[in-house]
Every structure is written in structure tokens, then in C-alpha cells.
Tab-separated table of all heavy atoms in Angstrom:
chain	number	residue	atom	x	y	z
A	1	MET	N	0.825	-1.160	0.017
A	1	MET	CA	0.016	0.015	0.042
A	1	MET	C	0.890	1.257	-0.025
A	1	MET	O	1.831	1.364	0.747
A	1	MET	CB	-0.915	0.057	1.284
A	1	MET	CG	-1.897	1.144	1.318
A	1	MET	SD	-3.194	0.718	2.368
A	1	MET	CE	-2.828	1.990	3.656
A	2	ASN	N	0.602	2.160	-0.776
A	2	ASN	CA	1.438	3.365	-0.972
A	2	ASN	C	0.773	4.489	-0.179
A	2	ASN	O	0.064	5.390	-0.781
A	2	ASN	CB	1.641	3.870	-2.432
A	2	ASN	CG	2.579	2.937	-3.085
A	2	ASN	OD1	3.464	2.395	-2.480
A	2	ASN	ND2	2.517	2.885	-4.418
A	3	ALA	N	1.010	4.509	1.074
A	3	ALA	CA	0.334	5.677	1.929
A	3	ALA	C	1.250	6.913	1.791
A	3	ALA	O	2.495	6.761	1.677
A	3	ALA	CB	0.331	5.214	3.394
A	4	ILE	N	0.721	7.997	1.846
A	4	ILE	CA	1.452	9.222	1.773
A	4	ILE	C	1.616	9.768	3.178
A	4	ILE	O	0.553	9.937	3.871
A	4	ILE	CB	0.783	10.248	0.858
A	4	ILE	CG1	0.775	9.824	-0.612
A	4	ILE	CG2	1.581	11.610	0.960
A	4	ILE	CD1	-0.017	10.714	-1.606
A	5	LYS	N	2.817	9.956	3.573
A	5	LYS	CA	3.074	10.565	4.843
A	5	LYS	C	3.793	11.955	4.725
A	5	LYS	O	4.528	12.151	3.740
A	5	LYS	CB	4.041	9.666	5.696
A	5	LYS	CG	3.493	8.242	5.861
A	5	LYS	CD	2.399	8.288	6.857
A	5	LYS	CE	2.004	6.854	7.118
A	5	LYS	NZ	0.777	6.763	7.930
A	6	ARG	N	3.592	12.843	5.580
A	6	ARG	CA	4.247	14.119	5.528
A	6	ARG	C	5.205	14.255	6.682
A	6	ARG	O	4.968	13.732	7.808
A	6	ARG	CB	3.222	15.205	5.660
A	6	ARG	CG	2.150	15.144	4.474
A	6	ARG	CD	1.294	16.403	4.480
A	6	ARG	NE	0.302	16.328	3.481
A	6	ARG	CZ	0.438	16.633	2.182
A	6	ARG	NH1	1.568	17.101	1.825
A	6	ARG	NH2	-0.578	16.616	1.379
A	7	ILE	N	6.319	14.858	6.471
A	7	ILE	CA	7.240	15.073	7.538
A	7	ILE	C	7.645	16.583	7.596
A	7	ILE	O	7.559	17.216	6.504
A	7	ILE	CB	8.579	14.264	7.242
A	7	ILE	CG1	9.255	14.561	5.949
A	7	ILE	CG2	8.315	12.769	7.401
A	7	ILE	CD1	10.609	13.980	5.796
A	8	VAL	N	7.962	17.066	8.800
A	8	VAL	CA	8.214	18.478	8.905
A	8	VAL	C	9.726	18.588	8.838
A	8	VAL	O	10.381	17.881	9.624
A	8	VAL	CB	7.600	18.978	10.207
A	8	VAL	CG1	7.854	20.438	10.530
A	8	VAL	CG2	6.134	18.707	10.256
A	9	VAL	N	10.194	19.522	8.058
A	9	VAL	CA	11.615	19.808	8.156
A	9	VAL	C	11.774	21.311	8.067
A	9	VAL	O	10.895	22.086	7.660
A	9	VAL	CB	12.347	19.261	6.798
A	9	VAL	CG1	12.313	17.802	6.872
A	9	VAL	CG2	11.823	19.737	5.557
A	10	ARG	N	12.921	21.803	8.655
A	10	ARG	CA	13.285	23.172	8.700
A	10	ARG	C	13.469	23.742	7.244
A	10	ARG	O	13.821	22.890	6.326
A	10	ARG	CB	14.447	23.524	9.426
A	10	ARG	CG	14.285	23.172	10.986
A	10	ARG	CD	15.479	23.613	11.826
A	10	ARG	NE	16.773	23.350	11.244
A	10	ARG	CZ	17.407	22.071	11.312
A	10	ARG	NH1	16.861	21.108	12.081
A	10	ARG	NH2	18.571	21.948	10.871
A	11	GLU	N	13.269	25.005	7.031
A	11	GLU	CA	13.379	25.579	5.666
A	11	GLU	C	14.830	25.336	5.059
A	11	GLU	O	14.857	24.956	3.897
A	11	GLU	CB	13.192	27.127	5.784
A	11	GLU	CG	13.100	27.788	4.438
A	11	GLU	CD	11.881	27.598	3.681
A	11	GLU	OE1	10.805	27.335	4.373
A	11	GLU	OE2	11.911	27.658	2.434
A	12	GLU	N	15.906	25.455	5.894
A	12	GLU	CA	17.212	25.219	5.335
A	12	GLU	C	17.418	23.677	5.007
A	12	GLU	O	18.161	23.380	3.997
A	12	GLU	CB	18.280	25.588	6.336
A	12	GLU	CG	18.300	25.031	7.705
A	12	GLU	CD	17.404	25.734	8.703
A	12	GLU	OE1	16.608	26.518	8.322
A	12	GLU	OE2	17.575	25.424	9.888
A	13	VAL	N	16.727	22.738	5.684
A	13	VAL	CA	16.797	21.332	5.338
A	13	VAL	C	16.085	21.148	4.013
A	13	VAL	O	16.677	20.412	3.080
A	13	VAL	CB	16.318	20.473	6.422
A	13	VAL	CG1	16.165	19.006	5.990
A	13	VAL	CG2	17.068	20.665	7.712
A	14	TRP	N	14.999	21.704	3.840
A	14	TRP	CA	14.234	21.561	2.540
A	14	TRP	C	15.037	22.095	1.414
A	14	TRP	O	15.092	21.509	0.374
A	14	TRP	CB	12.867	22.271	2.625
A	14	TRP	CG	12.101	22.080	1.418
A	14	TRP	CD1	11.246	21.097	1.105
A	14	TRP	CD2	12.099	23.004	0.324
A	14	TRP	NE1	10.695	21.357	-0.121
A	14	TRP	CE2	11.252	22.473	-0.713
A	14	TRP	CE3	12.793	24.209	0.032
A	14	TRP	CZ2	11.043	23.171	-1.921
A	14	TRP	CZ3	12.566	24.862	-1.221
A	14	TRP	CH2	11.627	24.271	-2.081
A	15	ALA	N	15.735	23.261	1.580
A	15	ALA	CA	16.510	23.875	0.518
A	15	ALA	C	17.744	22.998	0.154
A	15	ALA	O	17.991	22.766	-0.856
A	15	ALA	CB	17.051	25.251	0.980
A	16	ALA	N	18.368	22.399	1.195
A	16	ALA	CA	19.475	21.474	0.986
A	16	ALA	C	19.018	20.286	0.221
A	16	ALA	O	19.731	19.817	-0.719
A	16	ALA	CB	20.118	21.202	2.294
A	17	LEU	N	17.956	19.692	0.673
A	17	LEU	CA	17.385	18.511	-0.053
A	17	LEU	C	17.041	18.746	-1.528
A	17	LEU	O	17.331	18.185	-2.464
A	17	LEU	CB	16.217	17.906	0.672
A	17	LEU	CG	16.458	17.080	1.916
A	17	LEU	CD1	15.202	16.830	2.595
A	17	LEU	CD2	17.159	15.816	1.619
A	18	SER	N	16.394	19.941	-1.604
A	18	SER	CA	15.907	20.390	-2.917
A	18	SER	C	17.107	20.583	-3.899
A	18	SER	O	17.043	20.182	-5.037
A	18	SER	CB	15.097	21.653	-2.801
A	18	SER	OG	14.549	22.043	-4.014
A	19	SER	N	18.247	21.106	-3.466
A	19	SER	CA	19.371	21.368	-4.266
A	19	SER	C	20.138	20.015	-4.633
A	19	SER	O	20.880	19.994	-5.498
A	19	SER	CB	20.339	22.274	-3.494
A	19	SER	OG	21.080	21.555	-2.516
A	20	MET	N	19.805	18.978	-3.902
A	20	MET	CA	20.430	17.652	-4.180
A	20	MET	C	19.671	16.850	-5.227
A	20	MET	O	20.185	15.893	-5.735
A	20	MET	CB	20.523	16.856	-2.879
A	20	MET	CG	21.502	17.455	-1.836
A	20	MET	SD	21.471	16.521	-0.301
A	20	MET	CE	22.279	15.067	-0.756
A	21	ARG	N	18.395	17.203	-5.496
A	21	ARG	CA	17.627	16.483	-6.412
A	21	ARG	C	18.048	16.593	-7.822
A	21	ARG	O	18.528	17.803	-8.263
A	21	ARG	CB	16.119	16.896	-6.348
A	21	ARG	CG	15.474	16.557	-5.113
A	21	ARG	CD	13.981	16.758	-5.248
A	21	ARG	NE	13.681	18.206	-5.551
A	21	ARG	CZ	12.513	18.575	-6.028
A	21	ARG	NH1	11.558	17.781	-6.177
A	21	ARG	NH2	12.277	19.820	-6.221
A	22	LYS	N	17.937	15.537	-8.591
A	22	LYS	CA	18.342	15.596	-10.018
A	22	LYS	C	17.006	16.023	-10.693
A	22	LYS	O	15.935	15.964	-10.133
A	22	LYS	CB	18.651	14.196	-10.490
A	22	LYS	CG	19.939	13.648	-9.919
A	22	LYS	CD	20.130	12.201	-10.206
A	22	LYS	CE	21.333	11.623	-9.431
A	22	LYS	NZ	21.265	10.131	-9.262
A	23	PRO	N	17.257	16.542	-11.889
A	23	PRO	CA	15.939	17.074	-12.587
A	23	PRO	C	14.810	15.955	-12.766
A	23	PRO	O	15.129	14.787	-13.005
A	23	PRO	CB	16.499	17.444	-14.012
A	23	PRO	CG	17.849	17.721	-13.764
A	23	PRO	CD	18.356	16.851	-12.693
A	24	GLY	N	13.639	16.298	-12.372
A	24	GLY	CA	12.553	15.314	-12.410
A	24	GLY	C	12.426	14.431	-11.266
A	24	GLY	O	11.562	13.598	-11.184
A	25	MET	N	13.386	14.453	-10.397
A	25	MET	CA	13.464	13.519	-9.058
A	25	MET	C	12.486	14.020	-8.120
A	25	MET	O	12.441	15.230	-7.776
A	25	MET	CB	14.839	13.443	-8.747
A	25	MET	CG	15.026	12.543	-7.537
A	25	MET	SD	16.775	12.568	-6.867
A	25	MET	CE	17.300	10.947	-7.377
A	26	THR	N	11.696	13.068	-7.582
A	26	THR	CA	10.842	13.421	-6.344
A	26	THR	C	11.660	13.368	-5.136
A	26	THR	O	12.725	12.810	-5.086
A	26	THR	CB	9.673	12.413	-6.288
A	26	THR	OG1	10.218	11.174	-5.949
A	26	THR	CG2	8.857	12.342	-7.602
A	27	PHE	N	11.111	14.075	-4.108
A	27	PHE	CA	11.811	13.956	-2.783
A	27	PHE	C	11.794	12.550	-2.324
A	27	PHE	O	12.759	12.086	-1.636
A	27	PHE	CB	11.010	14.881	-1.844
A	27	PHE	CG	11.463	16.262	-1.905
A	27	PHE	CD1	10.577	17.216	-2.549
A	27	PHE	CD2	12.673	16.786	-1.285
A	27	PHE	CE1	11.052	18.516	-2.644
A	27	PHE	CE2	12.995	18.150	-1.433
A	27	PHE	CZ	12.170	18.991	-2.071
A	28	SER	N	10.790	11.785	-2.560
A	28	SER	CA	10.695	10.335	-2.244
A	28	SER	C	11.867	9.590	-2.806
A	28	SER	O	12.496	8.773	-2.166
A	28	SER	CB	9.384	9.776	-2.532
A	28	SER	OG	9.237	8.465	-1.953
A	29	GLU	N	12.081	9.823	-4.106
A	29	GLU	CA	13.137	9.177	-4.826
A	29	GLU	C	14.485	9.506	-4.219
A	29	GLU	O	15.477	8.701	-4.068
A	29	GLU	CB	13.128	9.483	-6.302
A	29	GLU	CG	11.954	8.813	-7.011
A	29	GLU	CD	11.648	9.292	-8.386
A	29	GLU	OE1	12.165	10.469	-8.751
A	29	GLU	OE2	11.090	8.637	-9.202
A	30	LEU	N	14.699	10.852	-3.975
A	30	LEU	CA	15.929	11.341	-3.393
A	30	LEU	C	16.213	10.652	-1.975
A	30	LEU	O	17.303	10.154	-1.690
A	30	LEU	CB	15.933	12.912	-3.142
A	30	LEU	CG	17.089	13.434	-2.444
A	30	LEU	CD1	18.339	13.214	-3.122
A	30	LEU	CD2	16.876	15.014	-2.241
A	31	ILE	N	15.202	10.703	-1.177
A	31	ILE	CA	15.328	10.003	0.244
A	31	ILE	C	15.601	8.504	0.016
A	31	ILE	O	16.435	8.016	0.744
A	31	ILE	CB	14.053	10.248	1.016
A	31	ILE	CG1	13.974	11.820	1.408
A	31	ILE	CG2	14.084	9.478	2.281
A	31	ILE	CD1	12.702	12.234	1.928
A	32	GLU	N	15.003	7.917	-0.867
A	32	GLU	CA	15.253	6.401	-1.081
A	32	GLU	C	16.666	6.226	-1.490
A	32	GLU	O	17.423	5.334	-0.947
A	32	GLU	CB	14.387	5.823	-2.226
A	32	GLU	CG	12.920	5.607	-1.867
A	32	GLU	CD	12.046	5.245	-2.991
A	32	GLU	OE1	12.542	5.144	-4.139
A	32	GLU	OE2	10.852	5.007	-2.679
A	33	GLU	N	17.184	7.021	-2.385
A	33	GLU	CA	18.611	7.058	-2.854
A	33	GLU	C	19.497	7.276	-1.635
A	33	GLU	O	20.602	6.605	-1.482
A	33	GLU	CB	18.850	8.070	-3.925
A	33	GLU	CG	20.063	7.946	-4.649
A	33	GLU	CD	20.258	8.942	-5.792
A	33	GLU	OE1	19.761	8.592	-6.865
A	33	GLU	OE2	20.770	10.019	-5.552
A	34	MET	N	19.189	8.197	-0.863
A	34	MET	CA	20.125	8.567	0.345
A	34	MET	C	20.019	7.322	1.418
A	34	MET	O	21.044	7.076	2.020
A	34	MET	CB	19.514	9.823	1.012
A	34	MET	CG	19.682	11.087	0.119
A	34	MET	SD	18.915	12.484	0.776
A	34	MET	CE	20.037	13.021	2.056
A	35	ILE	N	18.865	6.642	1.555
A	35	ILE	CA	18.847	5.593	2.456
A	35	ILE	C	19.679	4.402	1.939
A	35	ILE	O	20.474	3.858	2.715
A	35	ILE	CB	17.363	5.139	2.555
A	35	ILE	CG1	16.506	6.245	3.429
A	35	ILE	CG2	17.286	3.748	3.283
A	35	ILE	CD1	14.992	5.926	3.353
A	36	GLU	N	19.616	4.220	0.643
A	36	GLU	CA	20.455	3.067	0.084
A	36	GLU	C	22.031	3.450	0.214
A	36	GLU	O	22.741	2.484	0.638
A	36	GLU	CB	20.123	2.854	-1.357
A	36	GLU	CG	18.853	2.196	-1.642
A	36	GLU	CD	18.773	0.799	-0.869
A	36	GLU	OE1	19.740	-0.049	-0.933
A	36	GLU	OE2	17.825	0.573	-0.121
A	37	HIS	N	22.418	4.691	0.107
A	37	HIS	CA	23.716	5.084	0.214
A	37	HIS	C	24.155	4.878	1.641
A	37	HIS	O	25.197	4.386	1.907
A	37	HIS	CB	23.813	6.580	-0.193
A	37	HIS	CG	25.246	7.063	-0.055
A	37	HIS	ND1	26.305	6.790	-0.837
A	37	HIS	CD2	25.781	7.837	0.989
A	37	HIS	CE1	27.344	7.409	-0.396
A	37	HIS	NE2	27.035	8.063	0.620
A	38	GLU	N	23.306	5.242	2.586
A	38	GLU	CA	23.604	5.153	4.053
A	38	GLU	C	23.797	3.672	4.390
A	38	GLU	O	24.587	3.259	5.188
A	38	GLU	CB	22.628	5.825	4.893
A	38	GLU	CG	22.860	5.681	6.363
A	38	GLU	CD	24.119	6.347	6.882
A	38	GLU	OE1	24.793	7.045	6.112
A	38	GLU	OE2	24.528	5.996	8.020
A	39	LYS	N	22.871	2.782	3.901
A	39	LYS	CA	22.912	1.294	4.171
A	39	LYS	C	24.292	0.717	3.744
A	39	LYS	O	24.949	-0.004	4.402
A	39	LYS	CB	21.860	0.547	3.487
A	39	LYS	CG	20.418	0.773	4.170
A	39	LYS	CD	19.450	-0.008	3.323
A	39	LYS	CE	18.023	0.105	3.904
A	39	LYS	NZ	17.103	-0.723	3.030
A	40	LYS	N	24.698	1.169	2.533
A	40	LYS	CA	25.987	0.719	1.953
A	40	LYS	C	27.140	1.261	2.858
A	40	LYS	O	28.127	0.480	3.060
A	40	LYS	CB	26.176	1.216	0.508
A	40	LYS	CG	25.190	0.415	-0.411
A	40	LYS	CD	25.286	0.962	-1.870
A	40	LYS	CE	24.297	0.205	-2.704
A	40	LYS	NZ	24.198	0.758	-4.044
A	41	ARG	N	27.075	2.512	3.229
A	41	ARG	CA	28.062	3.173	4.084
A	41	ARG	C	28.294	2.354	5.356
A	41	ARG	O	29.369	2.036	5.736
A	41	ARG	CB	27.851	4.560	4.311
A	41	ARG	CG	28.952	5.324	4.960
A	41	ARG	CD	28.558	6.611	5.599
A	41	ARG	NE	27.654	6.471	6.725
A	41	ARG	CZ	27.972	6.118	7.964
A	41	ARG	NH1	29.143	5.790	8.211
A	41	ARG	NH2	27.054	5.947	8.854
A	42	ARG	N	27.084	2.111	5.968
A	42	ARG	CA	27.157	1.322	7.224
A	42	ARG	C	27.758	-0.101	7.100
A	42	ARG	O	28.393	-0.515	7.935
A	42	ARG	CB	25.758	1.254	7.896
A	42	ARG	CG	25.216	2.542	8.449
A	42	ARG	CD	23.896	2.428	9.033
A	42	ARG	NE	23.405	3.756	9.463
A	42	ARG	CZ	22.300	3.861	10.184
A	42	ARG	NH1	21.629	2.907	10.509
A	42	ARG	NH2	21.899	5.138	10.605
A	43	LEU	N	27.341	-0.729	5.992
A	43	LEU	CA	27.904	-2.100	5.697
A	43	LEU	C	29.340	-2.029	5.632
A	43	LEU	O	30.058	-2.854	6.214
A	43	LEU	CB	27.223	-2.721	4.444
A	43	LEU	CG	27.789	-4.098	3.998
A	43	LEU	CD1	27.554	-5.112	5.120
A	43	LEU	CD2	27.141	-4.476	2.706
A	44	VAL	N	29.824	-1.170	4.870
A	44	VAL	CA	31.324	-0.976	4.642
A	44	VAL	C	31.984	-0.762	6.037
A	44	VAL	O	32.971	-1.250	6.362
A	44	VAL	CB	31.654	0.131	3.603
A	44	VAL	CG1	33.236	0.461	3.597
A	44	VAL	CG2	31.307	-0.298	2.242
A	45	GLU	N	31.413	0.086	6.812
A	45	GLU	CA	31.952	0.490	8.135
A	45	GLU	C	32.012	-0.739	9.030
A	45	GLU	O	33.005	-0.978	9.741
A	45	GLU	CB	31.102	1.577	8.776
A	45	GLU	CG	31.512	2.068	10.094
A	45	GLU	CD	30.620	3.211	10.541
A	45	GLU	OE1	30.821	4.394	10.139
A	45	GLU	OE2	29.723	2.948	11.336
A	46	ASP	N	30.917	-1.545	9.009
A	46	ASP	CA	30.782	-2.805	9.831
A	46	ASP	C	31.912	-3.817	9.385
A	46	ASP	O	32.562	-4.425	10.161
A	46	ASP	CB	29.365	-3.444	9.714
A	46	ASP	CG	28.360	-2.670	10.398
A	46	ASP	OD1	28.731	-1.870	11.208
A	46	ASP	OD2	27.174	-3.044	10.212
A	47	ILE	N	32.110	-3.928	8.000
A	47	ILE	CA	33.054	-4.877	7.514
A	47	ILE	C	34.462	-4.483	7.988
A	47	ILE	O	35.234	-5.197	8.447
A	47	ILE	CB	32.953	-4.918	6.007
A	47	ILE	CG1	31.680	-5.683	5.614
A	47	ILE	CG2	34.188	-5.756	5.372
A	47	ILE	CD1	31.345	-5.646	4.074
A	48	LYS	N	34.717	-3.176	7.918
A	48	LYS	CA	36.034	-2.649	8.320
A	48	LYS	C	36.197	-2.890	9.803
A	48	LYS	O	37.343	-3.265	10.231
A	48	LYS	CB	36.205	-1.212	8.009
A	48	LYS	CG	36.438	-0.854	6.537
A	48	LYS	CD	36.496	0.621	6.220
A	48	LYS	CE	36.753	0.933	4.859
A	48	LYS	NZ	36.857	2.401	4.582
A	49	ARG	N	35.229	-2.593	10.608
A	49	ARG	CA	35.372	-2.801	12.015
A	49	ARG	C	35.565	-4.229	12.357
A	49	ARG	O	36.451	-4.653	13.165
A	49	ARG	CB	34.052	-2.384	12.733
A	49	ARG	CG	34.150	-2.507	14.302
A	49	ARG	CD	32.886	-2.160	14.957
A	49	ARG	NE	31.739	-2.611	14.289
A	49	ARG	CZ	31.237	-3.987	14.420
A	49	ARG	NH1	31.858	-4.748	15.119
A	49	ARG	NH2	30.098	-4.327	13.795
A	50	ILE	N	34.912	-5.204	11.693
A	50	ILE	CA	35.094	-6.619	11.937
A	50	ILE	C	36.492	-7.096	11.563
A	50	ILE	O	37.198	-7.844	12.286
A	50	ILE	CB	34.018	-7.426	11.204
A	50	ILE	CG1	32.635	-7.194	11.847
A	50	ILE	CG2	34.348	-8.919	11.141
A	50	ILE	CD1	31.408	-7.711	10.984
A	51	GLN	N	36.941	-6.592	10.312
A	51	GLN	CA	38.316	-7.003	9.939
A	51	GLN	C	39.350	-6.468	10.933
A	51	GLN	O	40.294	-7.166	11.072
A	51	GLN	CB	38.562	-6.371	8.587
A	51	GLN	CG	37.841	-7.033	7.465
A	51	GLN	CD	38.008	-6.415	6.058
A	51	GLN	OE1	38.331	-5.229	5.931
A	51	GLN	NE2	37.915	-7.195	5.075
A	52	GLU	N	39.179	-5.321	11.528
A	52	GLU	CA	40.142	-4.775	12.482
A	52	GLU	C	40.031	-5.445	13.824
A	52	GLU	O	41.136	-5.413	14.531
A	52	GLU	CB	39.950	-3.336	12.565
A	52	GLU	CG	40.263	-2.456	11.352
A	52	GLU	CD	39.822	-1.087	11.396
A	52	GLU	OE1	39.266	-0.652	12.457
A	52	GLU	OE2	40.093	-0.298	10.427
A	53	THR	N	38.953	-5.923	14.198
A	53	THR	CA	38.820	-6.386	15.646
A	53	THR	C	38.606	-7.941	15.776
A	53	THR	O	38.791	-8.418	16.850
A	53	THR	CB	37.588	-5.697	16.288
A	53	THR	OG1	36.447	-5.988	15.620
A	53	THR	CG2	37.739	-4.156	16.354
A	54	GLU	N	38.239	-8.530	14.669
A	54	GLU	CA	38.031	-9.946	14.831
A	54	GLU	C	39.095	-10.789	14.226
A	54	GLU	O	39.754	-10.432	13.150
A	54	GLU	CB	36.728	-10.383	14.145
A	54	GLU	CG	35.488	-9.624	14.734
A	54	GLU	CD	35.124	-9.944	16.144
A	54	GLU	OE1	35.382	-11.179	16.514
A	54	GLU	OE2	34.807	-9.041	16.963
A	55	GLU	N	39.319	-12.023	14.712
A	55	GLU	CA	40.164	-12.961	14.025
A	55	GLU	C	39.492	-13.783	13.048
A	55	GLU	O	38.552	-14.471	13.418
A	55	GLU	CB	40.923	-13.717	15.056
A	55	GLU	CG	42.017	-14.727	14.449
A	55	GLU	CD	42.653	-15.640	15.499
A	55	GLU	OE1	42.913	-15.041	16.713
A	55	GLU	OE2	42.964	-16.716	15.162
A	56	LEU	N	39.765	-13.583	11.800
A	56	LEU	CA	39.063	-14.256	10.778
A	56	LEU	C	39.746	-15.574	10.380
A	56	LEU	O	41.032	-15.619	10.380
A	56	LEU	CB	38.827	-13.364	9.510
A	56	LEU	CG	38.108	-12.057	9.714
A	56	LEU	CD1	38.207	-11.260	8.477
A	56	LEU	CD2	36.842	-12.261	10.326
A	57	VAL	N	39.042	-16.558	10.105
A	57	VAL	CA	39.608	-17.870	9.690
A	57	VAL	C	39.062	-18.283	8.219
A	57	VAL	O	37.943	-17.861	7.872
A	57	VAL	CB	39.275	-19.045	10.633
A	57	VAL	CG1	39.921	-18.736	11.969
A	57	VAL	CG2	37.833	-19.249	10.794
A	58	GLU	N	39.914	-18.892	7.407
A	58	GLU	CA	39.538	-19.260	6.134
A	58	GLU	C	38.591	-20.514	6.253
A	58	GLU	O	38.886	-21.405	7.048
A	58	GLU	CB	40.730	-19.561	5.266
A	58	GLU	CG	40.344	-19.829	3.886
A	58	GLU	CD	41.590	-19.835	2.998
A	58	GLU	OE1	42.698	-19.386	3.404
A	58	GLU	OE2	41.546	-20.541	1.974
A	59	ILE	N	37.596	-20.542	5.482
A	59	ILE	CA	36.760	-21.682	5.451
A	59	ILE	C	36.979	-22.357	4.092
A	59	ILE	O	36.822	-21.869	3.007
A	59	ILE	CB	35.242	-21.239	5.411
A	59	ILE	CG1	34.913	-20.500	6.724
A	59	ILE	CG2	34.392	-22.454	5.268
A	59	ILE	CD1	33.515	-19.933	6.737
A	60	PRO	N	37.519	-23.603	4.214
A	60	PRO	CA	37.768	-24.410	3.030
A	60	PRO	C	36.495	-24.762	2.307
A	60	PRO	O	35.477	-25.126	2.868
A	60	PRO	CB	38.522	-25.642	3.589
A	60	PRO	CG	38.245	-25.690	4.988
A	60	PRO	CD	37.754	-24.381	5.458
A	61	LEU	N	36.560	-24.612	1.026
A	61	LEU	CA	35.376	-24.992	0.118
A	61	LEU	C	35.392	-26.363	-0.395
A	61	LEU	O	36.416	-26.886	-0.770
A	61	LEU	CB	35.214	-24.016	-0.960
A	61	LEU	CG	35.033	-22.511	-0.480
A	61	LEU	CD1	34.942	-21.591	-1.724
A	61	LEU	CD2	33.710	-22.403	0.274
């Protein structure tokens, strides 16, 4: 179901978001893109942390 929700943002946040949109891009599409980018950034961060703090062992195939 595609429910429409409204969120309140300060004027400067709206302006910053608006300047980041590509031509024809909706705010929803921009936010989806930003969410995907953040998920990937967190994954890379988690992988780096694990590599630095954990002893990894090779699993023979």
C-alpha cells in the first residue's frame, strides 16, 4: 500500500534536499537514494570494524 506521509523539516533542510535532487526527481526518490547510500556506508563500516577487531579464519570450500 502506498500511503502518503508528511514530515516536517526546517526551511534550510528543505533547501538543501531540494538542491540535491536531479531534474525530475521526487523527494521520495531522493530520500530512497540517500537511504540506500547510508545502508551501503554502514555495511562497509561494519566490515572494516570486523576486519580490524576479529580474528578471521578461512573456510575451506
